[in-house]
Amino acid sequence: MRSFPDIVYVERKEGLLALDLFLPTSTAPTGLIVFVHGGGFAKGSRKSEFVTSLAERLATHGLATAAVGYRLNAGASLPRSQKRAVRANRSHAFEAGVNLRPRLIGPRFEVARQDIGTALAFLRTSSVPEELIGLNIGMIGVSAGGIAGLALVHPPDNLPRYDGPICLITLGAALVHPWAIRKTAAPCLMLHSAQDRVISPKNNDILRPFIAESGAPISQHTCSRRGHNAPMAALMQDDAPDGTPYWNSALDLFEKADLLNQGPASV
């Protein structure tokens, strides 16, 4: 696997924002998966053992990986009008039954969402490296990263819009704007643990009527593991109750989004 670390994708007043790229060794990638880390929009890093393991596994299927960094604790940088919109959306979310800590739907969430949207735009237009030009882009978001990813795919009308990923997998996340989900949005696979004290599985129950009413292409899965970070291990190692590996479900999503090679690649 080839690595291209610390590629700057935008400069903010708080500093430079960068991403790390991982590409298959002996073949050009057929698709790109953007990985967005968690940490409650207050901590976390794009650099971890899980990212490396995930990138290596994706590379065997001909997929490149971009691990994206974004601003943390940066809600104060939002324009006043957008802060008002975020507060209004948060109130609407709680009225709809969303069960999250307020800070996970506050201004720093919106800052992260906008940074990730900017990273996607960079990856679509940059020539570093040129092998990425024209590739379809999927996304895997963990916890807060998944919250931001879902809000890119299903954005509210009162906040900036970005060209989101062509498909999305979330691990221990929640959709915070359920009234905004659309039938025509990119397909999403949401994987949650049976017991999560950080992001309650009750959010899945709240979302189901909105999915049924809209016909949005969102599939929800609950693994038997306990703990907020359990879905990361479940994706890589576990089978669903019907015996299908969660990893196979991810590959099926990638295949339908025209991201996959027909044959194995060399890591």
Side-chain angles (χ1 to χ4, degrees):
M1 183 173 68
R2 294 173 286 158
S3 300
F4 299 84
D6 304 321
I7 297 174
V8 174
Y9 70 84
V10 72
E11 182 176 0
R12 304 293 198 201
K13 65 179 181 180
E14 295 87 353
L16 302 176
L17 296 179
L19 55 84
D20 300 330
L21 284 174
F22 304 90
L23 278 67
T25 296
S26 60
T27 185
T30 60
L32 172 64
I33 304 299
V34 169
F35 176 84
V36 187
H37 69 81
F41 307 113
K43 59 183 180 180
S45 171
R46 70 182 190 273
K47 298 179 184 290
S48 70
E49 292 183 7
F50 178 76
V51 172
T52 302
S53 297
L54 177 66
E56 288 176 344
R57 194 160 182 179
L58 290 170
T60 65
H61 298 282
L63 294 170
T65 301
V68 173
Y70 53 88
R71 285 174 290 176
L72 304 174
N73 295 308
S77 63
L78 271 188
R80 186 173 301 175
S81 62
Q82 292 184 15
K83 288 180 181 177
R84 287 196 297 267
V86 168
R87 287 195 293 269
N89 290 339
R90 181 165 58 189
S91 295
H92 195 176
F94 291 150
E95 290 170 1
V98 172
N99 185 356
L100 287 175
R101 295 170 185 170
R103 61 182 174 81
L104 293 177
I105 327 178
R108 58 186 179 184
F109 145 71
E110 176 59 19
V111 167
R113 190 185 73 91
Q114 293 185 17
D115 287 345
I116 297 161
T118 301
L120 288 171
F122 171 85
L123 289 165
R124 289 189 173 102
T125 59
S126 172
S127 58
V128 184
E130 62 181 12
E131 293 162 274
L132 300 182
I133 296 175
L135 293 184
N136 284 339
I137 299 177
M139 182 180 289
I140 297 176
V142 176
S143 187
I147 292 175
L150 286 162
L152 283 170
V153 173
H154 299 281
D157 291 334
N158 59 356
L159 288 171
R161 288 178 174 260
Y162 298 86
D163 288 334
I166 199 169
C167 63
L168 170 66
I169 295 172
T170 66
L171 307 175
L175 201 160
V176 299
H177 306 132
W179 64 90
I181 65 175
R182 298 170 292 113
K183 183 177 182 179
T184 56
C188 300
L189 185 159
M190 300 178 66
L191 179 58
H192 220 92
S193 67
Q195 183 176 337
D196 186 338
R197 296 182 179 180
V198 178
I199 298 180
S200 172
K202 293 179 181 178
N203 288 296
N204 294 331
D205 300 330
I206 293 162
L207 184 58
R208 287 190 188 102
F210 291 94
I211 296 173
E213 181 179 356
S214 66
I218 300 173
S219 60
Q220 297 174 306
H221 303 263
T222 303
C223 69
S224 59
R225 293 177 183 248
R226 297 183 176 184
H228 181 54
N229 294 319
M232 291 192 290
L235 175 67
M236 303 289 276
Q237 302 171 19
D238 293 356
D239 293 345
D242 67 357
T244 302
Y246 290 117
W247 184 255
N248 285 7
S249 296
L251 294 180
D252 183 60
L253 183 68
F254 296 156
E255 183 175 15
K256 290 177 180 177
D258 293 326
L259 287 162
L260 285 182
N261 249 338
Q262 294 301 310
S266 177
V267 178

